[in-house]
């Protein structure tokens, strides 16, 4: 049944091309809500073997090349399908008032293509099918940013695309090497095949690095902050909530599991890159003036925790990495929703110095409340999913890389520093005469912000769809923060079955 998340999403995208624009947002909402309901229902299904792939559909695709349309699910892919559906629903709600002159049919068409392709990556068990879905994500992301973005949108879209194609080329080389050696593209069969140590020594870093580019690994991370800033709000939410997870998932599911000996050779370097990414990105975020750049570098820092968890090569660390994928997907989407939709759309600025003069906590109290919650979750405060994920990763890392845990602690302090700085400057500093009003649409555009204290600015209140989208994301991070066992019970069996955790590789 979970395969219908792909079919329904693509069907909704096609339907948008033929129906009037008046129905576009409703089609997008119904489509994403249906996929959320399916993923949630599957999550509570007791008939699935969470430790191993449960085949959903398998039909011949290109028999001559051993390619099959093979979809399957286990505890890891099920978790990531769930976070994809949650992020998709909230991104549509935060795009609810895309105006008719902004081509809403095309906007939601590209949005649904990103979502549907992401479902395909997480559910594919044929390596070539996974690669097709993986590459398919790039095209709609480019158009979302290049057409509906802001702040050097052409540059941001092109940079994201070029980095993605570079990573995809490396992935394709790794796939060819695995196919030529094993004669199969089935992930189950490939996981049982013993590749030569010589092949694994070079194929693993090529394949893992190809996937890690999209995960924002340092030093190939610079596309991420630029892409986040250039993208529209929904684009940033999808980029942080879903797309960056595709790279981390591919590194775990394909590179690490197919080439376990290669992983053992290179995992110390993965840990080093992860720690550098955590600390460096957090330090850079501390110096940013644009709120979206702060959150963009924050995403790179938090994805460093995912890589560190993967490098631990133990059940606890890797399970924490998957939990962090879910957690950051929800928290990152929430942060970008506040910065892009609630703040920038109303004030037409993301400059922290300008925002500090506006006293937005009084003008937009709900936005202030949501940003406080999102900031607490991002800092890893107990009671939120960020804490559950990071503490699981750090405990797992302590068993393998204790020095890395100490260094990562510096990064966590920097995360708290730049998060509190952004929170203070955005909502709790200054004293301009700004009030919430009922002015909507183009009339709600504020005057030039050259002297905010001199001219009162009326800001449009937070809309009901925005409140619903924020509430869904807040509920997800709080629920998992309070009861992480809900996800870990499904993640750990799949992690324990991974080949690279078994002695002898």
């Amino acid at each position: 049944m979970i395969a219908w998340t792909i079919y329904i999403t693509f069907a909704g995208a096609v339907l948008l091309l033929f129906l009037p624009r008046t129905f576009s947002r409703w089609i997008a909402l119904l489509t994403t809500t249906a996929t959320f309901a399916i993923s949630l229902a599957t999550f509570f299904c007791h008939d699935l073997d969470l430790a191993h792939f449960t085949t959903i559909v398998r039909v011949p695709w290109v028999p001559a090349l051993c390619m099959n349309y093979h979809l399957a699910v286990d505890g890891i892919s099920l978790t990531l399908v769930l976070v994809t559906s949650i992020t998709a629903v909230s991104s549509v709600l935060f795009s609810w008032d895309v105006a008719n002159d902004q081509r809403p049919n095309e906007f939601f068409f590209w949005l649904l293509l990103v979502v549907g392709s992401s479902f395909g990556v997480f559910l594919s068990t044929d390596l070539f099918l996974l690669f097709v879905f993986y590459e398919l994500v790039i095209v709609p992301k480019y158009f979302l940013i290049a057409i509906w973005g802001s702040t050097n949108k052409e540059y941001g879209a092109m940079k994201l695309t070029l980095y993605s194609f570079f990573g995809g080329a490396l992935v394709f080389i790794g796939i060819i090497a695995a196919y030529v050696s094993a004669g199969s593209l089935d992930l189950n069969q490939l996981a049982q095949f013993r590749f030569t140590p010589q092949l694994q020594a070079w194929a693993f870093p090529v394949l893992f690095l190809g996937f890690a580019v999209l995960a924002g690994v340092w030093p190939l991370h610079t596309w991420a902050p630029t892409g986040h800033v250039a993208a529209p709000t929904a684009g940033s939410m999808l980029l942080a909530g879903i797309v960056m997870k595709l790279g981390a998932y591919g590194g775990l599911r394909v590179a690490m599991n197919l080439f376990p000996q290669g992983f053992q050779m290179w995992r110390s370097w993965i840990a080093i890159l992860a720690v550098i990414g955590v600390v460096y990105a957090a330090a850079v975020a501390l110096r940013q003036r644009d709120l979206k750049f702060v959150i963009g570098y924050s995403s790179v820092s938090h994805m460093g925790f995912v890589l560190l968890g993967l490098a631990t090569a133990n059940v606890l660390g890797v399970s924490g990495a998957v939990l962090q994928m879910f957690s950051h997907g929800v928290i990152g989407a929430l942060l970008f929703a506040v910065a892009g939709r609630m703040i920038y759309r109303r004030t037409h600025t993301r400059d922290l110095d300008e925002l500090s003069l506006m006293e937005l906590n009084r003008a937009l109290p709900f936005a202030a409340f949501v940003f406080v919650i999102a900031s607490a979750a991002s800092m890893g405060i107990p009671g939120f999913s960020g804490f559950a994920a990071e503490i699981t990763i750090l405990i797992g890392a302590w068993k393998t890389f204790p020095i890395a845990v100490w260094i990562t602690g510096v990064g966590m302090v920097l995360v708290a520093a730049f998060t509190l700085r952004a929170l203070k400057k955005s909502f709790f500093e200054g004293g301009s005469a700004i009030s919430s009003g009922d002015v909507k649409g183009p009339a709600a555009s504020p005057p030039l912000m050259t002297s905010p204290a001199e001219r009162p600015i009326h800001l449009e209140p937070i809309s009901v769809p925005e409140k619903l989208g924020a509430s869904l994301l807040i509920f997800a991070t709080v629920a998992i923060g309070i009861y992480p066992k809900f996800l870990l019970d499904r993640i750990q069996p799949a992690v324990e079955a991974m080949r690279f955790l078994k002695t002898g590789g």
Side-chain angles (χ1 to χ4, degrees), residues 23 39 41-42 56 80 90 147 177 184 194 197 244 316 329 365 423 450:
F23 303 106
S39 61
T42 308
I56 306 166
L80 294 174
S90 60
I147 298 175
S184 174
R194 285 188 171 272
M244 294 182 80
L316 200 59
L423 178 62
T450 54

Side-chain angles (χ1 to χ4, degrees), residues 200-476:
Q200 295 195 42
W202 70 263
F204 170 79
V206 168
L207 194 56
F208 188 87
L209 186 62
F211 282 119
V213 169
L214 204 57
V217 63
W218 182 90
L220 300 174
H221 67 284
T222 55
W223 66 266
T226 306
H228 285 310
V229 171
T233 299
S236 297
M237 293 173 69
L238 294 178
L239 194 57
I242 302 174
V243 176
M244 294 182 80
K245 311 305 172 292
L246 300 179
Y249 175 79
L252 170 62
R253 176 70 74 192
V254 182
M256 292 169 59
N257 207 39
L258 299 192
F259 303 127
Q261 289 177 289
F263 168 63
Q264 293 297 333
M265 297 176 192
W266 290 93
R267 71 189 184 100
S268 295
W269 289 102
I270 297 174
I272 291 172
L273 293 178
V275 172
I276 293 175
V278 170
V279 178
Y280 172 82
V284 174
L286 190 58
R287 300 293 300 168
Q288 299 302 308
R289 293 181 57 187
D290 187 307
L291 180 57
K292 259 196 168 185
F293 264 118
V294 174
I295 302 172
Y297 279 104
S298 170
S299 290
V300 175
S301 181
H302 282 93
M303 288 303 295
F305 278 98
V306 174
L307 290 178
L308 180 60
L310 297 180
T312 62
N314 58 57
V315 174
L316 200 59
V318 177
S319 297
V322 178
L323 186 61
Q324 174 74 343
M325 292 184 211
F326 180 97
S327 174
H328 177 257
V330 172
I331 297 170
L334 186 59
L335 287 169
F336 279 113
V338 176
R341 201 66 186 174
M342 295 184 179
I343 296 178
Y344 180 68
R345 178 181 171 276
R346 290 168 171 81
T347 65
H348 291 193
T349 183
R350 295 188 303 262
D351 188 278
L352 290 175
D353 292 331
E354 293 184 9
L355 293 174
S356 67
L357 300 173
M358 299 181 189
E359 211 172 37
L360 292 181
N361 63 315
R362 296 183 181 180
L364 302 170
F366 183 81
F369 166 76
V370 173
F371 202 56
V372 169
I373 296 296
S375 298
S378 181
M379 288 188 291
I381 300 298
F384 297 96
S385 59
F387 173 79
E390 290 177 11
I391 195 66
T392 306
I393 291 171
L394 292 176
I395 293 174
W398 184 263
K399 300 177 180 179
T400 313
F401 304 111
I403 297 178
V405 176
W406 288 102
I407 301 174
T408 304
V410 176
M412 297 177 70
V413 173
L414 292 174
V415 168
F418 73 68
T419 303
L420 291 173
R421 171 177 172 264
L423 178 62
K424 180 183 177 183
K425 282 186 169 291
S426 299
F427 287 99
F428 300 102
E429 192 172 276
S432 173
I434 303 177
S435 61
S436 177
D438 297 325
V439 184
K440 298 183 179 181
S445 300
L448 294 176
M449 310 304 285
T450 54
S451 182
E454 296 177 2
R455 303 177 66 178
I457 302 171
H458 295 275
L459 301 181
E460 178 186 350
I462 305 299
S463 66
V464 172
E466 290 172 327
K467 291 181 179 179
L468 292 174
S471 299
L472 175 61
L473 295 172
I474 290 173
F475 175 79

Side-chain angles (χ1 to χ4, degrees), residues 46-68:
H46 298 290
D47 298 331
L48 294 176
D49 179 7
L50 297 174
H52 305 91
F53 275 127
T54 300
T55 296
I56 306 166
V57 57
R58 181 184 177 124
V59 294
W61 186 18
V62 186
L65 297 176
C66 302
M67 295 179 188
N68 297 296

